Amino acid sequence: MKKISVFLVTLLMLLSISAPALHAQDDISGSPFEKDMRSLIDKEIMQGFEDGTYRPKAEVTRAQFTAFITRALDLPVTEEVITELQSLDPTSFSDVDSGRWYYPYILVANNEGLIQGYPGGTFKPNEKISRQNMAVIMMNAAKSKGIVTETEPLTFKDNGKIRSYAKEAVQILTGLEIINGKVINGGSYFAPSDLTTRGETAAVINRLLKVLNPPEEKYNYSVATLGKDKEPVIHKSYKTYDQAVSNASSGQVVLKGNSVAWIKDGKAVSNTFTSIYKDKNLSSSLTYFTSGVEVKLLDLTENYAKVQLADTVGYVAQEDINLVPSSMIEGRSYYYAKNGDLYHYKYNTSLKSGSSYVYGKAPSFMREGRKYYSYNGNTFLNENGSKAGDAYQYFNRLPLYSDTSYTAEQLDNFIAAEQPNSPLIGTGDDFKKAEKLHGTNALYLMAHAIHESNWGKSRIAQDKNNLFGIGARDGTPYESAYSYKNFETGILEAAEDFIVPGYFENTWKSYGAHLGNKSSGMNVYYASDPYWGQKIAGHMYRADKYLSKKYGVKSELGASPLAETLKPDTNVRTSARTSAGKIYSLGKAGSTVQILDTVNTSSEGTWYEVTTKDYESGKTGVKPVDHGKGFVYSHNGRYGTNLEKLNIAE
């Protein structure tokens, strides 16, 4: 039996598809690495210089190599991701300036576990990269995709010169034939301290991509046994996926080439920007999410996996997830209660560590010191898999066209209390103005800006007065982000032009005017982070908790009951009867209403008086409109049941 090494870690990765191109004569022509360099240039992994050259013999810095591998793995370098990482670790490396071109690449690669720094907290971005340091980064990239390879003893004549931290990497990459030795005076040397050129870099990255996406082989599938701290063993190879699966016994897995393709028990974690599709043909997208997200695994085939994220059940491409058998699980994300608050601990598989944020009020059924698991943030399981209870978070499901009672001064006081040096101090009046003019809750809008701009400290916020990442695209978030005259203009235009008409109204992006998750609310199509809505709700919860205590006013938490629609196109009418005029309709099932009163009628069942939108969106923009009282039919009538009250954690 053949012994192998397996790596089951998570990484963001998108497959780049480029059409072949014709190339004019340039300084790559005739180079030993011409084919590799042209391949990376066509995929926009490697770029040329301003004078039109590509310089295949030029040595590569650590920052440049980090950018190359980040692009090769198509890690999303977005404003959303950058701001999130800044809020978790704003310092990063002491010698990596946030204003330099390479900053976002280093920030993202560091979070994914691809790169490490030096003692003292430096990265040395401008230092030329050695072959052994390049090998470590390449090994980490291979680990991220669960690559399996034979382990071979090193036979280089200069093995003793390879530093201890790089020996495993060199062994793995030479086994995978990604990095080769050098022939010097008839002997094979690794030359660990030699510097790496742009041509050599193109060659090793191209080989890595071929390992990650290998061609079909005669016997492509194999049954193996995996275990922590043990070298897994391959038992037998098969021609087809189905043959391998049918011959895998309890505790075994199926490998396709270098990756785990089937498990009986375990977890699935996204390894790229992933779409969940409605059908098995992967042709109709329901939503999307970033890498490192654990999803509930429902079924597996050779080409797709059936999964659940939040309450959305659909299909993802097999290649977009890492399958981790139970025997290899080292950590998981979970929820826990502390001092009456609900926290969400997010486990990062790449770094084998995690971080927590406050989501809201801890449900009464939770006990401190225990872990609870949930795929949707409202149905919780105990550690033994039994159901602990259901509870929704008020601010996560609150209709965001409702008003907040907190004043501009009070909003500013919360910001100052949390972040005394935040540039957002003084914007409370702007958020309240957006509430009045464009119908979006000022407490929510402030929390949204806090999350997206890292309390107003992000580069886009500082340089472009853009607090919401409006216009920022993958790869060029800073360059493509919109610029505004000042914070006030940025806040008002974001509310009027993007947030309200795009996510509060009945558009393809709108799944209800609440924060929500990947099944309902803004989060379905606003952000790739499936917990984006939970994090903003957490800011609202903490602000409400602080301000209600400081000013001795009633907390807005649980101020009114909430209910969700069970059917699409639920009408809001001027009175509690079906013949009354329709004000507007709630487009998607799962939209939330805020209940102000209950109206029981003898002929048409139970209705709820609800908070109505106080704006109107049209060709001339979003303007304030008083719709007056609004009523929605709920139940006990001939129309069935339209609404279901939500059990709110209070």
Side-chain angles (χ1 to χ4, degrees):
M1 290 183 291
K2 186 183 294 184
K3 290 187 176 181
I4 54 177
S5 295
V6 66
F7 303 95
L8 295 162
V9 192
T10 302
L11 173 74
L12 297 154
M13 180 177 174
L14 292 169
L15 301 177
S16 297
I17 302 175
S18 299
L22 297 176
H23 302 281
Q25 189 80 8
D26 53 29
D27 65 334
I28 304 175
S29 301
S31 163
F33 303 107
E34 178 178 359
K35 184 176 180 181
D36 291 307
M37 290 192 72
R38 295 210 188 281
S39 176
L40 265 59
I41 292 167
D42 289 344
K43 294 174 183 175
E44 298 184 350
I45 294 170
M46 185 173 282
Q47 301 169 356
F49 293 88
E50 291 183 359
D51 61 0
T53 62
Y54 293 98
R55 306 177 192 177
K57 296 181 180 180
E59 294 165 347
V60 175
T61 67
R62 285 168 54 81
Q64 289 169 339
F65 191 84
T66 300
F68 293 150
I69 198 67
T70 302
R71 294 181 193 136
L73 299 173
D74 216 354
L75 305 182
V77 185
T78 65
E79 175 67 5
E80 175 193 347
V81 171
I82 294 168
T83 301
E84 175 79 4
L85 297 180
Q86 285 177 323
S87 66
L88 294 175
D89 183 14
T91 55
S92 191
F93 300 110
S94 60
D95 58 346
V96 177
D97 185 350
S98 63
R100 298 301 301 273
W101 68 268
Y102 48 70
Y103 173 75
Y105 296 106
I106 292 175
L107 193 67
V108 170
N110 183 48
N111 180 68
E112 291 302 318
L114 296 181
I115 59 174
Q116 293 85 32
Y118 290 92
T122 61
F123 181 71
K124 301 181 182 180
N126 296 316
E127 181 180 85
K128 301 295 175 59
I129 194 166
S130 66
R131 283 170 54 82
Q132 62 186 350
N133 286 347
M134 175 184 66
V136 172
I137 296 176
M138 297 293 287
M139 177 191 69
N140 291 336
K143 282 183 176 183
S144 71
K145 293 295 290 182
I147 292 301
V148 173
T149 181
E150 295 181 62
T151 57
E152 301 284 350
L154 295 177
T155 58
F156 299 115
K157 290 185 176 295
D158 58 350
N159 283 349
K161 294 184 178 181
I162 302 173
R163 301 289 294 272
S164 59
Y165 69 83
K167 282 189 175 180
E168 180 190 16
V170 175
Q171 186 177 29
I172 290 168
L173 293 177
T174 54
L176 287 169
E177 298 182 351
I178 291 176
I179 292 181
N180 302 317
K182 294 184 175 183
V183 177
I184 303 175
N185 297 326
S188 178
Y189 293 80
F190 181 71
S193 298
D194 281 9
L195 302 180
T196 303
T197 67
R198 287 167 61 85
E200 292 168 338
T201 294
V204 296
I205 291 178
N206 243 341
R207 292 173 198 150
L208 172 65
L209 293 177
K210 290 176 181 177
V211 169
L212 296 179
N213 303 281
E216 293 293 326
E217 298 176 356
K218 184 177 180 182
Y219 294 101
N220 201 41
Y221 299 96
S222 55
V223 174
T225 299
L226 310 180
K228 286 183 194 175
D229 303 320
K230 297 179 181 179
E231 288 199 338
V233 177
I234 291 181
H235 300 289
K236 190 174 180 180
S237 296
Y238 298 88
K239 292 183 179 180
T240 69
Y241 178 87
D242 291 338
Q243 287 176 336
V245 170
S246 64
N247 283 281
S249 61
S250 178
Q252 295 179 336
V253 306
V254 171
L255 302 177
K256 180 181 181 181
N258 296 319
S259 303
V260 179
W262 179 87
I263 58 176
K264 184 176 181 181
D265 299 299
K267 69 177 184 178
V269 183
S270 58
N271 61 30
T272 180
F273 180 96
T274 303
S275 290
I276 296 182
Y277 295 93
K278 184 178 181 179
D279 54 82
K280 298 176 182 179
N281 296 323
L282 309 181
S283 60
S284 179
S285 177
L286 295 172
T287 187
Y288 55 86
F289 55 102
T290 189
S291 74
V293 177
E294 183 179 340
V295 293
K296 186 176 182 179
L297 186 61
L298 303 175
D299 192 19
L300 270 174
T301 71
E302 183 176 5
N303 299 315
Y304 66 79
K306 187 177 182 181
V307 301
Q308 176 184 336
L309 177 62
D311 296 311
T312 297
V313 174
Y315 303 87
V316 300
Q318 249 265 22
E319 63 194 20
D320 289 348
I321 57 172
N322 279 355
L323 300 172
V324 187
S326 298
S327 60
M328 300 292 288
I329 293 176
E330 296 184 286
R332 289 186 62 187
S333 299
Y334 58 87
Y335 294 82
Y336 65 95
K338 182 179 180 181
N339 298 326
D341 297 334
L342 177 64
Y343 287 80
H344 183 206
Y345 173 82
K346 285 181 58 187
Y347 180 74
N348 185 314
T349 310
S350 295
L351 301 179
K352 298 182 181 180
S353 62
S355 59
S356 299
Y357 64 89
V358 176
Y359 179 17
K361 181 71 174 176
S364 59
F365 55 78
M366 286 191 175
R367 299 291 178 266
E368 290 201 16
R370 298 183 184 179
K371 297 178 182 179
Y372 299 88
Y373 300 98
S374 177
Y375 290 101
N376 59 15
N378 51 264
T379 298
F380 299 91
L381 304 179
N382 293 307
E383 292 185 71
N384 62 9
S386 63
K387 186 175 179 178
D390 292 290
Y392 291 83
Q393 290 301 317
Y394 185 78
F395 292 110
N396 183 256
R397 293 305 297 256
L398 176 71
L400 299 176
Y401 48 76
S402 60
D403 292 341
T404 178
S405 61
Y406 293 117
T407 66
E409 180 183 3
Q410 290 169 340
L411 297 179
D412 282 331
N413 283 339
F414 168 70
I415 297 171
E418 289 279 319
Q419 295 279 324
N421 62 344
S422 171
L424 293 181
I425 298 172
T427 57
D429 188 58
D430 303 328
F431 294 120
K432 291 298 289 187
K433 187 179 294 185
E435 181 178 74
K436 181 179 180 181
L437 295 177
H438 306 311
T440 176
N441 185 292
L443 180 65
Y444 143 70
L445 200 60
M446 176 193 71
H448 188 164
I450 287 171
H451 178 71
E452 293 282 358
S453 71
N454 188 26
W455 297 87
K457 299 175 185 177
S458 74
R459 188 181 173 201
I460 289 178
Q462 288 291 287
D463 295 351
K464 299 192 173 188
N465 297 308
N466 186 337
L467 299 176
F468 303 95
I470 304 298
R473 298 193 302 269
D474 287 11
T476 58
Y478 179 82
E479 292 79 5
S480 59
Y482 292 6
S483 294
Y484 299 97
K485 181 180 179 181
N486 48 42
F487 278 165
E488 177 184 1
T489 303
I491 290 169
L492 294 179
E493 291 192 14
E496 180 178 18
D497 297 340
F498 294 94
I499 296 172
V500 172
Y503 297 90
F504 290 12
E505 299 292 79
N506 292 333
T507 68
W508 67 271
K509 296 183 292 185
S510 175
Y511 278 72
H514 59 275
L515 290 166
N517 52 30
K518 282 299 177 180
S519 294
S520 73
M522 292 178 66
N523 204 168
V524 174
Y525 277 113
Y526 196 99
S528 61
D529 180 2
Y531 310 114
W532 174 88
Q534 295 189 178
K535 293 170 184 175
I536 295 176
H539 286 302
M540 295 176 71
Y541 169 77
R542 290 188 301 106
D544 175 65
K545 186 176 180 180
Y546 171 82
L547 293 173
S548 60
K549 182 177 180 180
K550 177 177 176 63
Y551 292 98
V553 297
K554 186 177 179 180
S555 168
E556 294 187 356
L557 175 68
S560 301
L562 303 179
E564 68 175 1
T565 60
L566 301 179
K567 302 175 183 178
D569 299 320
T570 298
N571 294 320
V572 179
R573 299 187 179 278
T574 56
S575 64
R577 62 182 190 275
T578 55
S579 61
K582 183 180 78 172
I583 305 175
Y584 53 82
S585 65
L586 302 167
K588 300 287 197 307
S591 299
T592 311
V593 295
Q594 184 180 38
I595 301 172
L596 303 178
D597 197 8
T598 301
V599 180
N600 294 308
T601 68
S602 58
S603 60
E604 293 192 321
T606 300
W607 291 64
Y608 292 130
E609 181 187 347
V610 301
T611 299
T612 57
K613 301 175 182 178
D614 52 3
Y615 67 88
E616 186 176 82
S617 181
K619 293 181 179 180
T620 58
V622 180
K623 60 182 180 181
V625 171
D626 183 5
H627 287 298
K629 291 185 177 182
F631 299 83
V632 179
Y633 166 77
S634 177
H635 60 284
N636 285 339
R638 57 179 174 172
Y639 308 106
T641 301
N642 276 8
L643 296 178
E644 181 176 78
K645 282 190 176 182
L646 300 176
N647 181 40
I648 301 297
E650 297 182 34

